[in-house]
Each structure stands twice: as structure tokens, then as C-alpha cells.
Amino acid sequence: MIAPPALPGLDPAWSHHITVAGRGTFHALERPAMGAPEITVLAVHGNPTWSYLWRRLLAQAPATWRVIAVDHLGMGYSERTDGVRRLAVRIDDLDALTEALAVSGPVVIVAHDWGGPISLGWALRHRDSLRGIVLTNTAVHQPPRAPAPTLIRFARWRPVLRALTERTPGFVRGATFLSRNMPADVIAAYRAPYRGVAARRAIGDFVADIPLEPDHPSAATLDAIADELCSLADVPVFLAWGSDDPVFSDRYLRDLVTRMPHADVHRYEKARHLVTEDAPACIPDIIEWIGHLAEPTRTTTSPPAPIDSMDARLLGRATDTSVAIADMRSGLRVNWSVLAARTSEIAEGLSDLGVAPGDRVAMLVPPGPDLVAAVYATWRIGAVVVVADSGLGVRGMRRALRSAEAQHVIGIPAGLGLARTLGLPGRRILVGRTGPATRILAADATLSEVARRGRAAAVSTGAAPAADDDALVVFTSGATGPAKGVVYTHRRLWALRDALRDAYDIRHDGETPDALVAAFAPWAVLGPALGIASAIPDMEITDASSLTAETTAAAAAAVGGTLMWTSPTALRAIVATADHLTGSSRADLEHLRLVLAAGAPVPPELLDAAAHLMPRAQFATPYGMTEALPLTEVTIEELREARGLGVLVGRPLPGVDVGIAPLARDAEPSADLVTTPEVTGEIVVRSAWIRDRYDRRWATQRRADSPEGWHRTGDVGHLDGQGRLWIEGRLAHILVTPGGPVTPVAAELVAQRCADTTLAALVGVGPLGVQVPVIVLLAPGPSLGLANVDLTRRVRAAVRDATGLEIAAVLTMRALPVDVRHRSKIDRTRIAREASKFLSGQGDDD
């Protein structure tokens, strides 16, 4: 038998052949354990790959594991046998091979593609030795009312089947083309065993054996495997999934989760069919997951929760005819009585339509009365609100909705159109008037029709959701990578509501109740939970810079606003347009007692300018993120006097603990936490209102939840001698220079002041460990170019004097890329790529 040639990442010592009587000679890659194996990992490939798929698993697994990656007969470097080997025979083959290899428990199977059903068939026969199951982009069942993947149907079409899979290397080449940016030598390695027609016959047999018809010879075998998966409820399962696979899409992941609801799931955004190639973290995550099986099971018992609900104060004001929500964009004002009744009607109507407790309901509705009523109605019936806001951009919203697996959608026409293109299941409810859009978008009803149905329904919404039931899936901004789904339970939302109320003394009753101006519009949803009125200014929801001082004042006047929640960009827009205010409008702004500006650091100069406009207001810049907010608070006086490396965000709020995970020379944060002053590291926090978990991101959650019960923020900073927190940047944006890690924010602030600009980015050019610092300034002129000599000299000197850092180059950029939601979080990773290209001569001034 032929052994594999020298191939990248493949140790020749792993390769050997095993002859099994009555079957043939198998090729396998095996990395034996040192001593008796703690665990045996049995890795099974699909079609048309081979055991090379698992080379990194063999290379990176702990030395105490035995790792075996097999080639099916007719595939890879195994013997080419006669006859067609159907699914049942393939399972028998694997059974015979593991017997010949003396495989014994505990065993974890790891499988991809066709390897999934084959290895699961083996697992069902070996329950006593089975320790865990890892599946990557595979399937055991064709979901009903869903066509098989187009690529599979085409490849299986009789006129092209043998031509595509055997007589030409088209199917083999297509498999590697499905990957993103696979190196040429790795592509060649995957194709190496399949260079001739005879070598490819089993590829065609595998395709022909896909049982799409109920009378197919392998249909009964596959159905039996699918039906028996529920019997593996006591076996840990990890589903590592490429999100952009055109073959095994999320509908197959959904099917597997339905059959094995206890499975841990991690979706790798932008990875395709060969997820282990497209997602560098996939193999390390699989190894970590297998390793965690030996850890003691975590048992966390939540304290008993008082009877509570997010709509308690809304119900308490059900007879109040004062304004609850004023939407200044539409001119619509809704009082508390109408809002409470509308919420109850929608809740009953949703239940009558079949929306059940635990169902996920995507809200594709702009902030306003309809969104607020739909959100609180969904919570009341125990369903889960999914918010994929327009601040993610259309592409980000598409990814978020696919990731969250919403079962129903409530949306405006554009939202329902997006849901239809994604093939989201369940009810589709249109917000707006009925008409052609209802038919075109296949809407089941309008929100008004749901409310009318609720008024007539005899059903009751049933028991209130439990404290630890899921309540909300909301997404991070995506400023440092694909947006991540963040899950909050009811208990954690109650804690968030109470934390805001207590930290800012928010009053919902008495002679002077508070009212909210939601200049960051999504926060209007929290108004009813706090029992306070809210107003949404007339602005473009996705463009905070469209806000003006006049429209803000009008919103404040509509509800008697005393509080304002805003972003730095929106606050800057208010200050910039203050000259156009009339006397009465100025008085409305002067009535504000508290302004909360969050989402990014707020320069003291901006706060000073805003303070002239709103002299009664206390200004707070709470630090936090989608996963936890608010965490700390700082006064404007402290900001004026702040002198240090980074941005001062203040002291932890009551109920918040902050620790620092010190950085090593390679910028890796420690597992241990310290509170020692002036030690830079990753910021780690704990409170009752941090997120419950990341949604279908097992590996992300495991890294973030360390120590248990804490949240690793991904931000870096330090505590000062007064216990105040300073932010120095994002962990993903740290430069790793010959002198060690360098955080970006301190140098950026100095460069901004020196160049009199609003944005600056410090990025690293070159490989990690030897990166050189480059400053990129927002400035008119070319899209990217060198700063003039005088500006370069001044910025380099200012940064050197303030931080000791030597800047290698100063560039200017016409528009620095920022996140869509806040318009203030700089995409330093993208800027670093552009700067590297420019400085290497691949870009030109324009």
C-alpha cells in the first residue's frame, strides 16, 4: 500500500496501514499516547477529504491522549475495494477497524460530513466506552419541507454524478474551493490521494449513497441513527459549526440541536464547510472541550428570586393617562393606559397564534411604541426577545438573525423582507398597515390584527416566566469582529433595571418623577420597566450625528425630560447645533438633571461644552458593554483633572467587582486577577447584571467566564491608587513590540490633542513580537497618506514625551472606519491592515 508523501503539517510517523480480514487494508494516522491513554479520540472524515483533515488534532492534542484518524476504505490512502459500500457497511468497517486497533474507552468521536453518520452509528453500538461526541458540519436527517443542498442535488444528478466525482476531479476540487483562503500546498495535500479515476470511485459512491429518497438503500440506516440520538442524552456533545457552509447550513445544526438539546454549540462566523481549515480556533476549541470533560461538573444554584417582572411598573400605571412614550419622528404619543392595554392584547394574540414560552421572537422594528409593546408582550408570555438592531448594518443583522435562530419575527416590511430571504421559520407579523406587503412578505398578520385577536382570545397567557428563563438575546456592536449574541435571563434584566434605578436615583413616582430622553433610541425600551416616560428624538436611528439640539429639546419638552441617555457622537452633534436653539428650547434642555453618555470615551472638553448647554445636569459616563452595563462611574470634575495613561472611567458602582488579569510579554492575560494599582491587564468584572452567557459560542463563553461567575471584557486597563479604573484599549488591538505589549489609547489621546482632530488610531505594523507603532490621524486629504513633516515631528514628540513610545510613522486618513451602532469605536484591525499595505508600497495617496 502507498503511504502519503511529505505533506504540510503531516508527521510521517503517524501513518500506517492495518489489514482487517474480510474487509481490506485501512490507512490511519495515529499518534499514540505516552503511557496508558487517558482518552482515545477517534476522528472520522467525510467525502471527499481524508484523515489529513485531522492533522492539527493529532499535532496539538495532549500527549496523554491516543488520537486515531482513519481513512475509509476506498478513500485517502486506504485500499480501493470492489463494490459499493453503503452506510451500514461503512459503520461495520469502522467497527472492525477499531476492534483491530484495540480501541477501548473512554472514547470521544470527532467527525465531519459523512463521517458524522458513520461515527454516530459506531457510537450507538459502543455506548459503554463512549465519553463524548464532537460533530462538525454534518447531518443525520433532511429537515422536512426543505430541499437538499443545491450542490448535493446537482452532484447526485445521474447525468453528471460519475463525470463530476470520478472521471474528473471536479468534486474534489469543489470541496477545497468551499474553504476560505486555503493555502495552495494544503489544497494539494487534500487532492493528493485522488489523482486518478480509479482512486476516485468511492467519492462517487459516497455521493450516490446520500439517501434523499425514502426507498433509498441507506435511508433506513440513517433514519435509525437519527431516531436513536435521543438515547445519548447522557453523553456530552459539542457541535463545532461553520456558519457559512453552503452544504450543511444552519438548518442541519438546528436539527441536531433538536435531537441533542444538551449539546454545547459554537458557531464559527464566516467559516464554511471545512470549518477546521477556515476557523483556526476550531481544533484548539475541540481539544479544550474534550479536556473539560475530565473537570468536575459545575453546579451553580441561584438564590430564590422574588416574584417580579419587567412590566410590573407598566401594569401599575395601567389607568394613567399621561404620556408613556413620545416618538418625535412619527409624532405619535401613547399614554400609559393605552400602552398597558396594547401590551396585554398583543401578549394574548401571540399566545393564540402559537408563540410559546421559550420561543425566540426577532424584533425588526425601529424604537417606538410598537417595539415597546411587542417586547413587553413577548416577555409576558415567556418568549425570548431577539434584538438585531439596525446599528449592526444589513450584513450584521443577517448574521445575527441566522445565529440566533429566531422562531418568529415581528418587523416592518424591510425587516420581514430580510427574514424571508433568510428563510426564518414561524410566524411573521407585520408592523404597519396591511396591503400588498402583507401578501408579498407572507405575513401571517399585522401587529394590530394580533392585538385584535388578543382582545377576542379566550386563552390566558399562563404563568409568568421563571427568574432564570431566557429573556433577551442582544448583539455586540461587532466593532472587534463578528457581532456576538449575548443572552440575558429575566433575573439579570431585573438586576440591570434595579442597578440603573439605584445608581442614578431614578424616580417613577412622587411630585417630580423622572422622564427619559432616549438620544440613544434603543434605551427607550427600558422606560416602562423603570416606570418612567420616554421620548425618542427626531433623528436617523443609525446615524447619531443626525441629532440636533433643537430636536433633543423638543423630545425633552414632550415628556418633561429629566434624564438623557446618549452616545458621544450624539452629544457632539447636540453641542455643535446649540447655536440654533430658541429660548424655550434652551429651557427644556436646562431642565435635564442627569445626562448619561456611554458607548465610547467622552472627552472632557465635550462634557464641558455640554455642561454650558445643560447647566443643571450631572454628567455621567458609565463604563460598560453589551454584556454588562453600568459598571463604573466618574464625575466631570475627575475627568477634568485626570492625568494618566488611558481614559478614566471611575470607581465601580455598588454591586460591581473589578479585577485585572495582568498581561504577559506576549500580551496574553493571566488566569489570576489582581487589584494592585498601576498593573495593566485585561479588565474582568462581576455583578448580578452581567450577561448569562454568549449564545451558541461555547468556546467564547468558556474563555469569558474565567474565573467562574466573572466576565472577561476584552478591554485592557488598570486601577489607580484610588481604586479608579482606567481604560487603555481593547485586548485585540494591543501592539506586541520587542519591548513588550503596548496599549493604544494613551498615545491616541495625545496624538488627537496634538493634531487637533477628533479621532486617532495607534496600530502595529509587522509581525507580533516585533511590531512598530504607527499613528493614523483623521484628517482631510487623501484616503490614506503620510502626514506632513511638521505634523509628524510634533505628534512623535508629543507621544514620546507623554508615554515614552517612539512612533515609527504618522499617517492621515480621510475617514477612519468606526462601528455602525455608536459611530465612535475605531476598527484598529482594519486600519492596521491598510497602514501595513501603504507603508509596504501597496497603496497610493489619492
Side-chain angles (χ1 to χ4, degrees):
M1 300 298 297
I2 300 174
L7 297 172
L10 189 66
D11 186 340
W14 297 337
S15 177
H16 65 287
H17 289 88
I18 309 98
T19 299
V20 179
R23 297 201 171 270
T25 300
F26 292 82
H27 174 257
L29 302 176
E30 179 174 358
R31 207 232 40 213
M34 291 181 63
E38 291 179 355
I39 205 162
T40 297
V41 177
L42 180 62
V44 187
H45 70 86
N47 185 37
T49 57
W50 57 289
S51 54
Y52 184 75
L53 179 74
W54 306 115
R55 66 196 181 281
R56 286 199 290 268
L57 180 57
L58 277 86
Q60 298 176 27
T64 53
W65 297 3
R66 182 187 185 191
V67 185
I68 305 166
V70 304
D71 283 351
H72 302 293
L73 289 174
M75 302 290 286
Y77 288 90
S78 287
E79 180 183 351
R80 270 46 181 169
T81 56
D82 296 330
V84 175
R85 308 188 80 82
R86 302 265 180 214
L87 174 58
V89 176
R90 294 286 183 188
I91 298 170
D92 291 340
D93 287 344
L94 185 59
D95 210 356
L97 176 61
T98 55
E99 183 178 354
L101 290 170
V103 171
S104 59
V107 176
V108 175
I109 59 170
V110 180
H112 174 255
D113 190 88
W114 253 116
I118 294 169
S119 63
L120 288 169
W122 181 93
L124 290 164
R125 298 179 183 179
H126 297 271
R127 299 167 192 261
D128 291 344
S129 60
L130 190 63
R131 184 65 185 91
I133 297 169
V134 178
L135 300 176
T136 68
N137 291 70
T138 185
V140 294
H141 177 69
Q142 179 60 40
R145 298 182 300 278
T150 302
L151 293 175
I152 295 299
R153 285 185 283 120
F154 177 72
R156 228 174 143 266
W157 186 33
R158 189 177 297 274
V160 303
L161 171 61
R162 298 297 168 180
L164 180 65
T165 61
E166 294 179 42
R167 292 195 291 273
T168 70
F171 195 76
V172 176
R173 290 180 176 175
T176 53
F177 286 150
L178 288 179
S179 182
R180 292 186 184 275
N181 304 316
M182 188 185 292
D185 57 350
V186 174
I187 291 174
Y190 273 109
R191 297 176 183 176
Y194 303 118
R195 297 198 181 279
V197 174
R200 293 190 291 264
R201 188 174 61 80
I203 293 174
D205 291 345
F206 259 121
V207 173
D209 200 37
I210 300 171
L212 298 184
E213 304 84 14
D215 58 349
H216 187 282
S218 288
T221 304
L222 187 61
D223 288 345
I225 292 169
D227 292 343
E228 285 192 66
L229 289 186
C230 61
S231 69
L232 299 176
D234 59 338
V235 179
V237 177
F238 182 39
L239 304 177
W241 210 263
S243 67
D244 289 5
D245 187 350
V247 181
F248 294 119
S249 64
D250 280 349
R251 69 163 56 103
Y252 298 96
L253 173 60
R254 191 183 311 138
D255 178 72
L256 287 168
V257 170
T258 300
R259 298 172 189 279
M260 298 180 289
H262 64 294
D264 294 317
V265 179
H266 191 105
R267 289 176 79 257
Y268 295 89
E269 290 291 343
K270 301 184 180 180
R272 307 187 77 183
H273 185 58
L274 296 178
V275 60
T276 54
E277 299 293 344
D278 291 350
C282 184
I283 290 296
D285 290 346
I286 288 173
I287 291 170
E288 183 168 2
W289 184 87
I290 296 172
H292 104 286
L293 297 178
E295 298 174 0
T297 303
R298 290 182 177 183
T299 55
T300 55
T301 303
S302 299
I307 297 173
D308 202 345
S309 69
M310 286 297 284
D311 64 354
R313 294 215 167 118
L314 171 60
L315 293 172
R317 300 188 69 166
T319 60
D320 189 339
T321 57
S322 64
V323 174
I325 303 175
D327 184 355
M328 307 306 290
R329 297 161 304 159
S330 64
L332 184 63
R333 303 186 188 195
V334 176
N335 67 38
W336 287 98
S337 177
V338 170
L339 180 62
R342 178 84 164 172
T343 299
S344 297
E345 292 165 358
I346 293 172
E348 296 287 357
L350 290 174
S351 288
D352 194 52
L353 274 172
V355 180
D359 282 1
R360 291 187 168 190
V361 183
M363 300 287 170
L364 303 180
V365 185
D370 284 328
L371 175 64
V372 171
V375 165
Y376 284 87
T378 301
W379 281 337
R380 188 175 299 176
I381 65 174
V384 183
V385 171
V386 176
V387 179
D389 63 277
S390 55
L392 297 172
V394 174
R395 183 177 299 178
M397 289 178 67
R398 289 176 63 90
R399 287 196 171 279
L401 289 170
R402 284 181 53 207
S403 169
E405 290 284 349
Q407 288 134 308
H408 312 280
V409 182
I410 299 175
I412 59 175
L416 290 195
L418 180 61
R420 189 174 185 188
T421 64
L422 293 173
L424 296 182
R427 298 293 188 178
R428 295 177 186 163
I429 297 166
L430 176 67
V431 174
R433 295 171 182 257
T434 187
T438 312
R439 295 186 296 273
I440 295 170
L441 299 171
D444 295 286
T446 66
L447 193 62
S448 294
E449 290 168 348
V450 171
R452 285 197 294 272
R453 187 170 183 146
R455 284 198 295 273
V459 300
S460 170
T461 52
D468 295 312
D469 288 348
D470 289 351
L472 175 67
V473 181
V474 65
F475 287 82
T476 61
S477 67
T480 54
K484 299 182 287 291
V486 177
V487 180
Y488 281 87
T489 61
H490 287 273
R491 181 193 300 272
R492 292 173 190 268
L493 286 183
W494 302 340
L496 169 61
R497 173 201 62 198
D498 295 347
L500 288 169
R501 179 198 63 205
D502 296 343
Y504 303 112
D505 190 26
I506 296 175
R507 303 180 293 270
H508 71 282
D509 54 12
E511 294 184 4
T512 56
D514 283 312
L516 173 69
V517 178
F520 183 55
W523 282 94
V525 174
L526 273 180
L530 291 163
I532 61 175
S534 56
I536 303 168
D538 186 6
M539 60 182 292
E540 290 292 330
I541 297 299
T542 59
D543 184 6
S545 65
S546 67
L547 190 64
T548 68
E550 186 65 41
T551 56
T552 305
V559 293
T562 60
L563 316 173
M564 180 166 69
W565 194 289
T566 186
S567 68
T569 301
L571 189 61
R572 188 174 286 110
I574 293 170
V575 169
T577 55
D579 290 345
H580 303 291
L581 281 174
T582 62
S584 60
S585 295
R586 285 186 180 276
D588 292 324
L589 289 182
E590 289 172 358
H591 187 62
L592 292 170
R593 72 166 182 87
L594 175 66
V595 175
L596 300 169
V602 186
E605 313 86 70
L606 176 58
L607 291 174
D608 284 336
H612 285 294
L613 190 59
M614 295 165 267
R616 285 187 62 239
Q618 171 193 351
F619 285 81
T621 59
Y623 165 66
M625 62 280 308
T626 306
E627 298 91 336
L629 182 75
L631 294 171
T632 68
E633 185 178 277
V634 62
T635 66
I636 191 170
E637 291 77 19
E638 286 180 304
L639 286 174
R640 289 191 189 111
E641 298 171 4
R643 298 292 183 271
L645 297 178
V647 173
L648 176 64
V649 295
R651 294 173 176 82
L653 292 169
V656 177
D657 296 316
V658 175
I660 302 294
L663 300 178
R665 284 188 61 81
D666 62 357
E668 281 297 313
S670 169
D672 300 320
L673 305 184
V674 302
T675 55
T676 310
E678 310 304 331
V679 173
T680 295
E682 183 177 13
I683 299 165
V684 188
V685 299
R686 179 173 61 180
S687 76
W689 55 90
I690 64 170
R691 51 96 192 115
D692 183 71
R693 66 189 186 278
Y694 287 107
D695 190 39
R696 303 206 301 173
R697 291 281 190 116
W698 178 87
T700 305
Q701 174 62 27
R702 183 169 170 84
R703 285 189 284 270
D705 196 25
S706 176
E708 185 180 354
W710 292 70
H711 172 66
R712 289 191 173 245
T713 66
D715 289 336
V716 288
H718 66 273
L719 294 165
D720 65 16
Q722 301 178 56
R724 302 179 304 179
L725 183 63
W726 294 71
I727 305 299
E728 299 182 47
R730 290 287 294 169
L731 192 61
H733 296 157
I734 291 177
L735 286 67
V736 185
T737 71
V742 174
T743 55
V745 167
E748 291 171 348
L749 293 175
V750 173
Q752 280 177 220
R753 288 192 291 267
C754 179
D756 192 23
T757 184
T758 56
L759 287 176
L762 176 72
V763 299
V765 172
L768 290 175
V770 292
Q771 288 184 317
V772 295
V774 173
I775 287 283
V776 182
L777 302 167
L778 177 67
S783 58
L784 182 63
L786 288 170
N788 64 54
V789 174
D790 179 61
L791 180 59
T792 297
R793 179 186 55 76
R794 288 189 288 109
V795 168
R796 293 181 69 182
V799 171
R800 183 191 310 115
D801 292 344
T803 69
L805 188 65
E806 289 290 347
I807 299 299
V810 178
L811 307 181
T812 60
M813 206 171 190
R814 186 188 306 145
L816 268 63
V818 294
D819 68 300
V820 177
R821 181 182 290 169
H822 300 286
R823 298 286 178 181
S824 54
K825 294 183 178 180
I826 303 170
D827 188 347
R828 296 183 183 89
T829 303
R830 179 177 162 189
I831 295 171
R833 286 197 302 267
E834 296 297 321
S836 296
K837 287 181 183 177
F838 177 82
L839 293 171
S840 64
Q842 299 178 48
D844 299 312
D845 292 4
D846 62 11

